[in-house]
Amino acid sequence: MDTHSRYTVSLHYDRRLYRQDIAGSVAHARMLARQGIIADDEAESLVAGLEGIREEIEAESFPWREELEDVHMNIERRLFETVGDVAGKLHTARSRNDQVATDVRLYVKEVIDEALRAIHELRTAFVEKAASNRDVVMPGYTHVQRAQPVLFAHHMLAYFEMFGRDAERMRQARESADAMPLGSGAMAGVPYPIDREWVARELGFGKVSANSMDAVSDRDFLLDFHSAAATCAIHLSRLAEELVLWSSDEFGFVRLDDMYTTGSSIMPQKRNPDFAEIARGKTGRVYGNLVGLLTTLKGLPLTYNRDMQEDKEGLFDTVDTLIPTLQVAAGMVSTMEVQADRMRNAALNSYALATDVADYLVAKGMPFREAHGIVARLSKYAVESGKRLGELDLDTYRRFSDRFDEDVLSITVDSSIRARDVFGGTAPNRVEAAIEAAKAELEAEGA
Ligand code: ARG
């Protein structure tokens, strides 16, 4: 085919919708017969023909023809060849406009279910890592500076929450895809006594679209999916970045499984976190696909416009990027080795207890701001004399405030963590409860 004829062709990507297209046609043909619009034996021929075509496609013996432009025309033309002229009755009370909108909605609902399974798997990995490392202590960070000691499990459960919101956004996107456009025809509705509710039930849609003009031109459900995917990609890249940092010699907090690292061709000591880096890098195309569709839809007048054919490649690309990245992330998290000693030492060898020392003064009746100032001076002194807070003696403490007593020396990483005993905090009993709640949530979701 020359460039001119190839310009409008979408077959090379939209053939991926063949299952949804055939399912939609089968339901439509059966409905036409139930409503007396075509004869029962005609519907039977159509359904048998469509099922034969599905088998041909799956056996890779289907004669795809680019010159027929898209998946819909390819299947319809083939139906003429396999069942004869009755094929011409299939498109009664239908248009490619409501047909393609239906196909894409069916597809999106399916891939969202797949994405939800992948998110579930990843969240399970966080909970399992948390549960099998309950006592591991690490410094929590702000500004990539050691801030306060926390349980490693608490850190894992932060990701559990983050990806839980992604699941919620995916479910919302699924909800917006769950209206069936068939029956809208080209855009005004169709002049036949069809039964849209019946077709919707056959295809597993929760409802039928309420306005035919909106139904053939609405791609908001794709924007909802892309935007849920883009937010999920942010989270994957943040996780990937932490794995890159944590697996470096500088941190040494985790050892990624060999499956997820590669050596360097000239530096034999290296174990590069390539999978995490690629996961981080893939974010760009997921954002790009969202922005691409936003831009394609901008300024389109009602109703269907051929521009909308451009909705598919970005969609498939996001699906092919997001789901494998979720799966890789789950694999990296569940196989990583936690270097508990390195984490604990990083928490000990820091000034992460400064807040606790300030809180100590507050407990003795000092206003927090004043306590903060005293501990800032104390920490500065400790840094300058090359000592940790825990290495200072009581006399030194008392040079900064006479409210310090012997018990200030018993502030430790573990007492600091134990003290954060609020709902949502890092105290061991709270994290324990959070692990149980997370397990219950995963259980309720099913596999
Ligand atoms: N390939 C087209 C698409 O994806 C199918 C709908 C074509 N409709 C039309 N009126 N030309 O949008």
Side-chain angles (χ1 to χ4, degrees):
M1 264 169 110
D2 61 15
T3 307
H4 175 265
S5 332
R6 213 172 22 233
Y7 195 68
T8 57
V9 174
S10 55
L11 180 66
H12 49 289
Y13 51 85
D14 69 15
R15 50 191 270 188
R16 198 162 156 171
L17 296 173
Y18 79 89
R19 270 192 309 108
Q20 292 77 14
D21 195 66
I22 290 173
S25 290
V26 165
H28 181 69
R30 291 203 168 118
M31 180 277 292
L32 291 176
R34 282 173 61 88
Q35 299 300 104
I37 300 167
I38 65 174
D40 285 345
D41 61 331
E42 290 173 332
E44 275 163 36
S45 307
L46 292 173
V47 169
L50 287 162
E51 278 162 2
I53 287 172
R54 181 167 46 215
E55 283 160 25
E56 280 187 340
I57 295 173
E58 278 161 9
E60 287 174 34
S61 61
F62 184 88
W64 294 107
R65 282 163 284 202
E66 270 211 312
E67 62 280 13
L68 297 175
E69 279 199 346
D70 61 21
V71 63
H72 323 290
M73 299 309 288
N74 267 268
I75 290 173
E76 192 176 337
R77 177 68 63 90
R78 183 69 184 148
L79 197 57
F80 273 95
E81 292 164 2
T82 60
V83 305
D85 283 346
V86 67
K89 298 211 168 180
L90 176 63
H91 216 50
T92 313
R94 193 175 71 169
S95 151
R96 260 195 297 162
N97 297 350
D98 56 353
Q99 183 179 356
V100 71
T102 303
D103 293 0
V104 177
R105 282 173 181 266
L106 285 171
Y107 172 81
V108 165
K109 285 171 59 185
E110 279 180 35
V111 295
I112 286 177
D113 289 341
E114 248 181 84
L116 284 170
R117 282 192 290 275
I119 292 172
H120 180 92
E121 194 193 326
L122 175 57
R123 295 179 83 215
T124 303
F126 290 126
V127 176
E128 283 172 358
K129 267 296 134 165
S132 54
N133 293 278
R134 288 169 202 251
D135 305 326
V136 177
V137 165
M138 66 179 287
Y141 291 80
T142 62
H143 315 272
V144 204
Q145 308 281 323
R146 290 172 194 171
Q148 295 178 324
V150 291
L151 289 182
F152 165 76
H154 196 50
H155 195 122
M156 286 294 100
L157 292 182
Y159 281 111
F160 176 83
E161 293 297 320
M162 196 189 277
F163 284 96
R165 293 191 296 275
D166 288 320
E168 196 44 48
R169 270 182 286 272
M170 283 291 170
R171 284 190 279 266
Q172 286 164 8
R174 193 184 190 288
E175 181 70 28
S176 63
D178 199 26
M180 189 200 68
L182 275 180
S184 302
M187 60 107 183
V190 296
Y192 297 90
I194 57 169
D195 185 347
R196 300 187 65 206
E197 295 287 348
W198 188 87
V199 178
R201 274 197 303 280
E202 280 288 289
L203 294 175
F205 279 104
K207 59 175 195 255
V208 298
S209 56
N211 180 295
S212 61
M213 296 179 75
D214 181 46
V216 295
S217 71
D218 172 22
R219 296 293 182 274
D220 295 359
F221 64 99
L222 288 182
L223 293 176
D224 291 345
F225 170 70
H226 278 289
S227 106
T231 305
C232 187
I234 297 178
H235 297 154
L236 285 164
S237 78
R238 294 183 69 175
L239 169 66
E241 168 66 7
E242 282 209 313
L243 295 180
V244 169
L245 286 175
W246 285 5
S247 63
S248 67
D249 284 345
E250 281 68 16
F251 277 78
F253 283 6
V254 297
R255 189 174 191 282
L256 295 176
D257 192 89
D258 289 342
M259 252 174 94
Y260 298 103
T261 62
T262 52
S264 153
S265 47
I266 57 166
M267 295 170 281
Q269 82 284 11
K270 288 193 75 181
R271 292 176 78 254
N272 298 329
D274 292 30
F275 281 71
E277 293 172 284
I278 292 172
R280 192 175 56 187
K282 293 243 181 232
T283 315
R285 60 200 301 156
V286 177
Y287 292 2
N289 292 328
L290 166 62
V291 174
L293 183 64
L294 285 165
T295 313
T296 293
L297 296 176
K298 175 192 171 295
L300 290 186
L302 286 174
T303 58
Y304 178 84
N305 297 274
R306 190 67 182 272
D307 315 44
M308 289 171 162
Q309 177 164 300
E310 293 294 317
D311 64 358
K312 292 176 198 62
E313 280 175 294
L315 170 62
F316 296 144
D317 184 60
T318 285
V319 170
D320 293 341
T321 303
L322 188 73
I323 293 173
T325 304
L326 284 164
Q327 291 165 341
V328 162
M332 285 194 291
V333 170
S334 64
T335 59
M336 72 189 183
E337 260 174 43
V338 175
Q339 310 297 111
D341 291 345
R342 292 275 312 200
M343 289 191 189
R344 175 172 272 277
N345 285 334
L348 292 174
N349 293 324
S350 72
Y351 295 88
L353 294 178
T355 326
D356 294 82
V357 176
D359 288 328
Y360 170 93
L361 292 173
V362 170
K364 304 257 162 169
M366 188 183 285
F368 182 78
R369 280 294 161 215
E370 189 187 338
H372 183 277
I374 288 172
V375 179
R377 287 191 290 281
L378 181 74
S379 302
K380 186 160 179 276
Y381 167 80
V383 172
E384 282 164 1
S385 47
K387 289 185 171 160
R388 305 297 160 200
L389 291 180
E391 290 168 346
L392 303 176
D393 57 19
L394 184 56
D395 285 345
T396 309
Y397 271 107
R398 293 182 67 90
R399 292 219 309 270
F400 291 85
S401 167
D402 58 10
R403 307 240 194 157
F404 283 121
D405 290 312
E406 195 69 35
D407 54 351
V408 74
L409 303 178
S410 58
I411 295 175
T412 62
V413 158
D414 298 289
S415 75
S416 164
I417 291 175
R418 259 196 320 275
R420 265 70 195 177
D421 186 6
V422 291
F423 181 77
T426 193
N429 57 313
R430 298 294 182 167
V431 172
E432 205 57 48
I435 290 174
E436 289 318 307
K439 283 183 174 168
E441 188 182 329
L442 290 171
E443 188 124 333
E445 269 181 13

